[in-house]
Amino acid sequence: MSSRADRALLATVIADVSLIVGYIVSALRPDYRVWPIGEHSWRWWFNWSALSVVFAGFPVLATLDRDPFVFDSLRSKLAGGVIATLGMGFALSALFELGWMESSGREGELRTDGIYEYTRNPQSVGFIPFVVGTILATNSWKLAIHGILTIVIYVLFPYAEEPWLRDQYGETYVEYCEQTPRFFSLESLKDLLRS
């Protein structure tokens, strides 16, 4: 790999795969979990190092590898920009609603109201369309590879966190899971749009 874009892609793929493996382990073997991070432990360093590369990969790859892919029409780029903006807005509103510390996997109060009334994982729900929109808007095949792996991370993330949440909040969390979908259901989406 010689170009800067190739090196950036390699770094993001390593970070993506590290998190994917870590979150699978966290879901299947909670005693060996990497998420949630807790206080400044090895899990904190592992997650924030990898997540920093994942997040930085979007603007870096969008800049270094713009327009060599298949979504080259102005319409797809504009649609991608709108989708990415709406997704990021939804994810950020959920982050601000929950708070930075709790979003970082630290113990706090279980949120079941606001956005969390419609989905247990609104940050994942928001980041997935952000990633799809960014791929469309930048038309980058390298960003598409990174983006698809990032979507896998955000799909796996709730499964990694749920055993810990059950331990923290017990029956209250179990009841919340029975009432609220992990991502979205058609019913919860309708309820959100009506509110």
Side-chain angles (χ1 to χ4, degrees):
M1 291 194 164
S2 56
S3 76
R4 291 183 347 197
D6 290 338
R7 290 191 299 272
L9 176 61
L10 177 61
T12 60
V13 167
I14 290 169
D16 292 328
V17 171
S18 297
L19 288 169
I20 289 168
V21 170
Y23 293 166
I24 290 171
V25 169
S26 295
L28 298 177
R29 299 292 308 267
D31 292 345
Y32 300 101
R33 67 183 169 83
V34 299
W35 185 268
I37 60 174
E39 297 303 320
H40 293 277
S41 67
W42 69 270
R43 290 190 305 268
W44 189 90
W45 291 105
F46 169 80
N47 278 279
W48 287 116
S49 298
L51 286 169
S52 296
V53 174
V54 169
F55 294 139
F58 284 91
V60 169
L61 288 171
T63 301
L64 296 176
D65 188 54
R66 181 177 291 279
D67 279 332
F69 201 34
V70 295
F71 307 110
D72 59 355
S73 74
L74 180 60
R75 184 179 300 167
S76 66
K77 291 180 181 187
L78 291 174
V82 170
I83 293 167
T85 301
L86 291 173
M88 182 56 76
F90 191 83
L92 288 176
S93 67
L95 185 144
F96 293 133
E97 192 171 314
L98 184 60
W100 177 254
M101 297 303 277
E102 290 177 57
S103 292
S104 298
R106 297 204 175 110
E107 195 173 335
E109 188 178 314
L110 178 64
R111 293 299 305 265
T112 61
D113 59 348
I115 291 174
Y116 291 86
E117 183 179 341
Y118 307 102
T119 171
R120 298 193 318 258
N121 298 284
Q123 292 178 45
S124 290
V125 168
F127 276 121
I128 290 170
F130 163 76
V131 170
V132 171
T134 303
I135 292 167
L136 290 171
T138 60
N139 190 33
S140 164
W141 73 268
K142 290 178 180 162
L143 188 65
I145 291 169
H146 172 47
I148 290 166
L149 292 171
T150 302
I151 289 170
V152 172
I153 290 169
Y154 277 100
V155 168
L156 290 173
F157 179 82
Y159 295 94
E161 189 174 48
E162 286 171 1
W164 178 79
L165 290 169
R166 274 192 299 276
D167 289 345
Q168 296 299 310
Y169 303 111
E171 191 59 34
T172 303
Y173 182 72
V174 172
E175 290 172 10
Y176 175 54
C177 290
E178 290 170 0
Q179 299 168 357
T180 309
R182 181 177 284 120
F183 296 108
F184 260 125
S185 66
L186 189 55
E187 185 73 26
S188 67
L189 183 58
K190 287 179 187 175
D191 290 344
L192 176 63
L193 294 174
R194 277 189 231 122
S195 66

